[in-house]
Amino acid sequence: MQLDGLSLIAGHPAPARAKKFHAIAPATGARLDPDFHEATSADVDHAMRRADEAFEIFRQMPAGARADFLDAIATEIMAAGDELLQRASAESGLPIERFQGERARTCGQFKTFAALIREGSWVDARIDTALPDRQPMPRPDIRRHLVPLGPVVVLGASNFPLAFSTAGGDTASALAAGCPVVVKAHPAHPGTSEIVARAIYRAMASSHVPAGAFSLLHGTGADVAQELVRHPLTRALGFTGSERAGRALFDTAAARPEPIPVFAEMGSTNPLFILPGALKNRAAAIAQGLKAAFTIGVGQFCTKPGLVLALGGVDFNAFIEQFQTQVRGTTPATMLHHGICDAFHAGLDRVKNIPGVIVLAESDADADPAKTQAEPIAFATDVETFLRHRELREEIFGPYTLLISARTVTELEAAAHALPGQLTATLHADGTDLTDFNDLLRILDRKAGRVLVNGFSPGVEVCPAMQHGGPYPATTDSRFTSVGTAAIARWARPLCLQGFPESSLPDALRNANPLGIQRTVNGTLTRDPVAG
């Protein structure tokens, strides 16, 4: 496929622009063709206006037709073949094998949302029929369901060029809800984004979807993203990235004359607690699993365990010895781009300068700066130091983790209390550990969106029960998830219809229930028609 480096608006290339940039292969430092043209204010306005024009048509497409469109996107992404995988690998430094799995997840997300909207019950239809004889006041006929918000802006993430980017979960769930999507591609993988965008356009053409339902804009700085958030036709934003960038977008959205929701996933330290029974019985297995968990994808997972806490003593010391061996034998690897690599090493320097923190173990091999590499490294400290230095509670994106020893259960609980909001929290527990540490578990219930027992947090299953979100600053709204079928709820709002004649009701609220969906009728969940 010939890449042209232009933004794609409603199926057509935008005009060439004066300001350009290019992708860099982080593993070699080589410049990757072609030049990419930065979107302008005019491009932003054009994309948003076309999205708004498409909204009325797109939202009224039958759910089955919209589901066919989602399935077609999955088919076209697969049809992009090895060229997509090779470009993603070149732009990210991650291996082809990683992208084979990530492509499968990306396509699986579209198929999952297609199945969700074909079945249809996600609209949460509720019907309370009229009670004209009720005393002292009659009740009117009241019906409610979820409807799409309107044009959604999605900002591509750096660490998942397929699954959290142009055709990631935000895009899939927004399109499923009936919302047009304008994506601002991540500048680290613009070629990957263009290939995927062209796959989406092929699916749009075969599915007769209005062209304005999808656009892709390029840009390197925050200007394009901020303009998209400020545009009056934008109805919501999906973002995965740093707390600093996410908060800036959130503040911009709140300052609009008409504020809009921002669903920002901003990272997490994902604390892992090793309780005494597990520490005594499974130290070697936990050490091996922890090494894999904090180095997977060169530590560039938002669910990477960045903090490990346990009661100090003989068992924790034995665990540390085994963990040190694991870390030393792990080789450096290429990070996504120089900016992330530089930020990682700057974070390590900050930690090294904190009194009471020591380097516990690092790779025996040296990282190669020419290959944008990072070396796995683990630090150690105690709870007292952890509580004294707030910066130790901040995420360092990359293959880094901090082991923290507590003298007492009270100290362990104090450390948990001090944690900001998290995407995940993990406990390794054997025997009576969970009962003995019930107070700690209750603290973590309030801190995290997902609590794991005897697992490792990297890896987020795309399924109805998944929660990928948590209290601030992990996300801007802990009530929602960016992974799993519940993610569709971010892009919809309730609409109540009162006193409507049957002929004017949408299918989801008609008495006959022509869609066959589950509905709450007069307080009872049922698929049955409403008695006439």
Side-chain angles (χ1 to χ4, degrees):
M1 181 183 297
Q2 181 68 38
L3 300 177
D4 60 23
L6 299 172
S7 293
L8 298 168
I9 300 176
H12 299 285
R17 300 303 185 187
K19 191 175 180 182
K20 303 175 186 178
F21 69 98
H22 53 267
I24 298 290
T28 64
R31 172 175 170 158
L32 299 173
D33 289 331
D35 287 338
F36 288 85
H37 297 249
E38 298 241 10
T40 64
S41 296
D43 295 329
V44 168
D45 184 64
H46 186 198
M48 295 312 306
R49 290 186 183 280
R50 293 301 305 274
D52 191 61
E53 291 168 4
F55 178 48
E56 194 59 35
I57 300 170
F58 189 53
R59 75 178 183 131
Q60 294 189 64
M61 284 183 65
R66 208 158 62 242
D68 290 344
F69 168 47
L70 299 182
D71 281 338
I73 292 175
T75 298
E76 293 294 348
I77 288 174
M78 289 300 299
D82 290 345
E83 184 177 5
L84 173 61
L85 305 182
Q86 291 162 0
R87 182 73 187 202
S89 179
E91 289 183 331
S92 67
L94 297 170
I96 291 284
E97 293 75 17
R98 150 73 183 265
F99 286 108
Q100 290 172 335
E102 192 176 329
R103 180 179 61 181
R105 171 179 168 167
T106 302
C107 295
Q109 288 175 160
F110 278 95
K111 291 180 177 296
T112 296
F113 281 108
L116 179 75
I117 62 176
R118 276 198 187 93
E119 191 281 327
S121 297
W122 77 273
V123 298
D124 190 25
R126 301 172 184 228
I127 299 172
D128 289 294
T129 55
L131 298 175
D133 299 326
R134 189 183 69 174
Q135 295 297 327
M137 292 287 290
R139 183 178 77 185
D141 185 273
I142 302 173
R143 306 186 181 215
R144 175 188 188 271
H145 68 149
L146 297 178
V147 297
L149 286 175
V152 165
V153 168
V154 171
L155 305 183
S158 64
N159 58 337
F160 283 86
L162 300 181
F164 274 90
S165 194
T166 302
D170 288 349
T171 298
S173 55
L175 292 174
C179 296
V181 174
V182 176
V183 172
K184 190 267 183 187
H186 196 283
H189 49 256
T192 303
S193 297
E194 183 176 330
I195 293 171
V196 171
R198 292 185 181 279
I200 293 174
Y201 283 129
R202 292 195 297 273
M204 292 171 71
S206 65
S207 304
H208 308 293
V209 171
F214 179 82
S215 291
L216 177 78
L217 302 180
H218 290 296
T220 53
D223 291 348
V224 174
Q226 289 285 348
E227 287 199 42
L228 285 165
V229 175
R230 285 192 293 264
H231 198 282
L233 296 177
T234 301
R235 300 288 73 175
L237 172 73
F239 168 80
T240 298
S242 70
E243 181 181 345
R244 178 188 57 80
R247 183 55 195 252
L249 295 164
F250 180 85
D251 290 347
T252 297
R256 287 171 39 130
E258 183 183 1
I260 58 169
V262 171
F263 301 104
E265 187 261 277
M266 300 180 291
S268 179
T269 55
N270 306 296
L272 183 151
F273 292 79
I274 311 175
L275 302 184
L279 197 59
K280 184 176 184 65
N281 298 332
R282 296 188 285 113
I286 296 172
Q288 184 175 14
L290 175 61
K291 185 273 298 183
F294 95 92
T295 61
I296 186 173
V298 205
Q300 298 166 121
F301 277 47
C302 51
T303 50
K304 175 209 73 179
L307 299 173
V308 181
L309 302 97
L311 292 172
V314 174
D315 291 334
F316 193 40
N317 290 339
F319 166 83
I320 287 173
E321 289 182 7
Q322 296 180 72
F323 182 61
Q324 287 173 314
T325 301
Q326 294 281 343
V327 174
R328 290 168 183 153
T330 306
T331 57
T334 297
M335 299 194 79
L336 292 161
H337 56 78
H338 280 283
I340 282 180
C341 191
D342 291 346
F344 172 70
H345 287 103
L348 297 187
D349 289 341
R350 288 195 302 272
V351 172
K352 288 176 181 177
N353 289 325
I354 296 174
V357 178
I358 63 168
V359 174
L360 184 69
E362 56 187 322
S363 173
D364 286 339
D366 292 331
D368 184 348
K371 297 180 178 179
T372 324
Q373 287 186 341
E375 65 284 6
I377 186 167
F379 290 78
T381 192
D382 54 28
V383 168
E384 184 178 358
T385 302
F386 178 71
L387 295 177
R388 188 182 306 119
H389 294 275
R390 185 180 184 87
E391 58 267 40
L392 292 176
R393 290 164 246 168
E394 298 173 355
E395 180 186 32
I396 295 180
F397 197 63
Y400 153 91
T401 195
L402 174 66
L403 275 63
I404 304 165
S405 62
R407 291 172 297 185
T408 65
V409 174
T410 300
E411 277 198 350
L412 206 60
E413 292 174 355
H417 272 299
L419 293 168
Q422 304 289 323
L423 292 172
T424 75
T426 300
L427 299 108
H428 278 267
D430 283 2
T432 62
D433 278 343
L434 289 180
T435 301
D436 296 343
F437 286 81
N438 185 64
D439 289 346
L440 174 62
L441 180 57
R442 297 283 75 80
I443 295 168
L444 298 180
D445 282 350
R446 298 176 62 179
K447 294 289 183 178
R450 177 164 59 112
V451 180
L452 299 80
V453 173
N454 294 339
F456 293 94
S457 48
V460 183
E461 185 70 24
V462 181
C463 65
M466 178 50 63
Q467 174 62 21
H468 189 57
Y472 186 87
T475 63
T476 47
D477 196 328
S478 63
R479 297 171 299 170
F480 296 93
T481 178
S482 61
V483 177
T485 54
I488 197 172
R490 295 172 297 166
W491 319 119
R493 64 177 179 87
L495 175 63
C496 181
L497 303 177
Q498 182 172 322
F500 272 56
E502 173 78 7
S503 60
S504 297
L505 288 169
D507 285 348
L509 298 178
R510 292 196 172 202
N511 286 343
N513 193 13
L515 302 179
I517 61 175
Q518 285 200 101
R519 308 184 298 181
T520 302
V521 179
N522 295 324
T524 300
L525 191 64
T526 179
R527 294 184 189 271
D528 293 339
V530 176

